[in-house]
Amino acid sequence: MGSRKGAKGKEIPALRVLSAFLLIAMYTGPGRAQKSQSAPGPTAKVVYLRCGVLFDGKSDSPRKNVVIAVKGEKIREVGAPEAEIVAAELIDLSRETCLPGLIDTHTHVLLQGDITAADYDEQLLKQSPEYRTILATVNARRALEYGFTSIRDVETEGAGYADADLKKAINNGVIPGPRMQVATRALDVTGAYPLLGYAPNVHVPHGVQVVDGADEARKAVREQIMYGADWIKVYSDRSYRLRDDGVLDDIPTFTLEELKAIVDEAHRQRRKVASHAMALNGVHNSVEAGVDSIEHGNYIAPEDLKTMAAHGTFYVPTIFVGAYVAQGRAAEGAPVWVKMLAVHEETFRRAIKAGVKIAFGTDAGGFAWTENPAQEFAYMVKWGMTPAQAIRSATASAAELLGTSDQVGTIEAGKFADIVAVPGDPLADVTQLEKVDFVMKGGVVAKGGR
Ligand SMILES: [Zn+2]
C-alpha cells in the first residue's frame, strides 16, 4: 500500500488503479489515509518538512533551518541535504518551530467537563454511552488538532469500554484521533465515587467499577484487561480537607492490601497502574503499593516524593484543571478547592527539586474540550519549570511513562513522524504551544501544512 503522498500515484502506471482507490479512500477522511500508512510499501514517497527552528526533544538546544525527511509513517532522516529535496513534496514550516507531537497522559475523552456534581450526574443520567461515544469522537479529533498525537485516557466515567472501541476506530482509520492508551472503567470502593446521594432504592450508574476486597479487585483488573485496558486506573482517595499545618488530608479509599492486589495483578499482566491520589494518605498508599503514576498529587509528603524519585514513579500534576474548577466548586460549598492551589504549587516545586519524574497531563474532559489542554504548559512554567522542561514532560518524559519511547516523544530517524509546529518560539513563550497550527501523525498531515 502507498502512503498518502504515494496515493497520488504518478510514478508507476501499473499502480494507477490501486492509486485511484487510495485517492478515494483518502478523501473519506484523514483516518483512512492513516490506515494505508500502517504498512507503507516501497512506493511510499518521501515528504520533506522544512522547519525554521527544530526542537527535537532530545537536546534542549533548538537548531535552525532543519529539513526532516518523512517516509511512510516514519521519520527517515533529520537534517536531509538540500540537494535531495523534491519541491513538490516540501511542506514549508520555515517560519515555524517544529516539535515532537505532544502527549497528554491524563485525559477523559468520554467526559465533557464537570465543574459541579450536577454537571457530572447529568452526563451519566441523561446521556447514553452511545451518545457520549459520538461526542468522544469529536474530542479525539480536537485532541489531535490541538497537537496531541498521543494520549493516555484514564477512564470512561461510566461509559464502559467505549474508550477501547474509540482506540480501535482510530487505529483502523475510521476516525481521526491520537494514538491512545486506555484505562477503561477504573476502580473504586463502595460509597466513594459518584453518582452518590440518591435514595437506597434508586439504582444509579457509577463512574467506575465498584470493587471491595483484594479478590474482587483482582478479578476486576482481569476483566478490564480482557476487554482492552492498557492501564488500570484506581481512585485512591476522596473527601479533602486542609489541616492547620498545611497538609492536605483525605479519606483513603482502598486498603493497602487491596491496592497491592491491583498493582500485582496489573503488573503480572504487563499493564501499569495510574492512581488518582490528591492528598496525604492516598498518595502514600499508592506509592507503597507500587503504582506507576500518581495523578494530581496536590499534596505529596516529602518522604513519598523521595520514594517516588527512588522508584521512578511518575507524577502527573494536572494543574490547569484544578484552577479551572476551583471557583465553581467553592461556590458549590467546597472552598478547599481554592485553597488547594497554593498547596499544589508548593508540592510541584518540591517534586522538581526532589528529582521526581513529571509527565504532562491535563484532565481534559474534567474541563470542556473546547478549552485547549495546552494551557497546562503556562502553569508548569509559572510554578517553576523551564519551558524546555515543560515541553519535555509532554514529549520524551510522557513517552517514557507510556512505554513508547522507542516510537514517539522525540524527533529522530526511525520513530513515527508525529510532528507539530507553532508560529513563535515556545522556549521564550511557552503559551505558543496553545497555537499549534501544523500537526502530522504517523506521516499524515492532520492540520495545516502547505
Ligand atoms: Zn482525571
Side-chain angles (χ1 to χ4, degrees):
M1 300 279 274
S3 71
R4 177 171 171 170
K5 299 296 297 179
K8 291 189 175 150
K10 291 173 214 149
E11 65 285 19
I12 307 170
L15 287 178
R16 284 249 165 90
V17 176
L18 176 62
S19 297
F21 164 74
L22 286 174
L23 193 62
I24 293 163
M26 190 177 102
Y27 286 110
T28 60
R32 287 305 274 265
Q34 280 168 19
K35 191 180 187 182
S36 73
Q37 287 282 356
S38 65
T43 58
K45 275 190 191 166
V46 177
V47 178
Y48 301 89
L49 309 186
R50 185 191 296 285
C51 301
V53 178
L54 171 68
F55 183 88
D56 64 11
K58 284 195 299 177
S59 138
D60 276 359
S61 328
R63 283 182 281 163
K64 282 189 178 160
N65 194 24
V66 178
V67 175
I68 304 169
V70 173
K71 183 167 187 180
E73 59 190 353
K74 299 277 179 69
I75 295 165
R76 200 203 64 188
E77 188 179 6
V78 179
E82 285 293 327
E84 186 199 303
I85 299 166
V86 179
E89 306 302 336
L90 179 70
I91 296 174
D92 183 11
L93 302 168
S94 59
R95 285 189 297 274
E96 309 259 323
T97 301
C98 297
L99 307 116
L102 304 174
I103 303 172
D104 190 341
T105 72
H106 190 127
T107 66
H108 301 279
V109 287
L110 271 303
L111 206 57
Q112 313 297 323
D114 63 319
I115 293 176
T116 66
D119 294 341
Y120 190 82
D121 288 20
E122 168 122 5
Q123 290 181 57
L124 270 71
L125 290 171
K126 295 186 179 170
Q127 296 179 354
S128 68
E130 291 80 3
Y131 182 69
R132 294 180 62 193
T133 308
I134 292 167
L135 297 181
T137 65
V138 178
N139 296 338
R141 189 177 65 216
R142 278 191 179 127
L144 184 61
E145 289 176 355
Y146 285 134
F148 295 94
T149 50
S150 296
I151 61 173
R152 181 184 60 156
D153 202 72
V154 283
E155 90 126 325
T156 62
E157 310 282 359
Y161 293 93
D163 54 353
D165 284 327
L166 201 73
K167 172 185 162 181
K168 188 195 285 180
I170 292 169
N171 288 350
N172 285 342
V174 179
I175 55 166
R179 303 178 195 283
M180 285 182 77
Q181 293 190 357
V182 300
T184 71
R185 301 176 63 193
L187 302 171
D188 205 339
V189 301
T190 295
Y193 202 84
L195 305 189
L196 295 168
Y198 293 82
N201 60 321
V202 177
H203 292 283
V204 290
H206 291 291
V208 291
Q209 183 168 7
V210 175
V211 291
D212 297 291
D215 287 349
E216 230 179 88
R218 193 180 284 274
K219 186 177 178 186
V221 171
R222 290 175 179 169
E223 198 174 293
Q224 294 188 0
I225 292 172
M226 175 169 70
Y227 292 121
D230 302 305
W231 281 79
I232 297 301
K233 166 81 178 289
V234 292
Y235 285 86
S236 297
D237 59 15
R238 67 184 181 90
S239 190
Y240 308 103
R241 69 174 179 204
L242 193 59
R243 292 191 333 208
D244 290 341
D245 60 359
V247 169
L248 189 68
D249 200 7
D250 56 1
I251 299 176
T253 54
F254 290 105
T255 63
L256 187 56
E257 187 204 1
E258 288 167 328
L259 271 181
K260 280 184 171 166
I262 290 167
V263 172
D264 177 66
E265 187 60 33
H267 286 177
R268 236 168 41 81
Q269 300 204 47
R270 301 191 190 115
R271 301 301 196 279
K272 291 183 185 175
V273 179
S275 175
H276 164 112
M278 293 177 58
L280 182 67
N281 303 296
V283 171
H284 181 72
N285 287 348
S286 299
V287 170
E288 286 298 301
V291 304
D292 301 277
S293 66
I294 296 292
E295 308 299 310
H296 315 301
N298 298 57
Y299 175 81
I300 305 176
E303 315 81 68
D304 290 325
L305 280 180
K306 218 181 268 178
T307 312
M308 287 171 73
H311 291 179
T313 312
F314 270 87
Y315 176 31
V316 181
T318 70
I319 304 167
F320 170 65
V321 70
Y324 184 83
V325 303
Q327 294 302 337
R329 291 191 179 168
E332 207 189 21
V336 68
W337 285 85
V338 174
K339 293 184 204 156
M340 252 189 244
L341 289 172
V343 178
H344 203 173
E345 176 173 356
E346 198 250 330
T347 303
F348 186 76
R349 289 181 185 278
R350 283 191 288 115
I352 296 171
K353 218 176 267 175
V356 172
K357 289 179 181 176
I358 297 178
F360 180 98
T362 66
D363 219 355
F367 53 88
W369 280 92
T370 45
E371 293 284 340
N372 188 338
Q375 291 176 79
E376 181 82 12
F377 286 106
Y379 282 92
M380 294 175 114
V381 170
K382 195 172 146 204
W383 286 7
M385 274 187 165
T386 64
Q389 276 179 310
I391 294 168
R392 226 181 4 247
S393 80
T395 51
S397 298
E400 187 189 341
L401 172 59
L402 268 49
T404 53
S405 296
D406 57 334
Q407 300 164 29
V408 297
T410 57
I411 295 180
E412 51 188 315
K415 289 197 177 179
F416 283 122
D418 290 5
I419 299 164
V420 300
V422 297
D425 176 6
L427 294 175
D429 172 14
V430 84
T431 66
Q432 287 298 319
L433 295 169
E434 296 166 31
K435 297 174 187 159
V436 170
D437 58 5
F438 172 82
V439 180
M440 173 179 268
K441 178 195 156 204
V444 176
V445 176
K447 182 183 188 177
R450 272 183 247 246

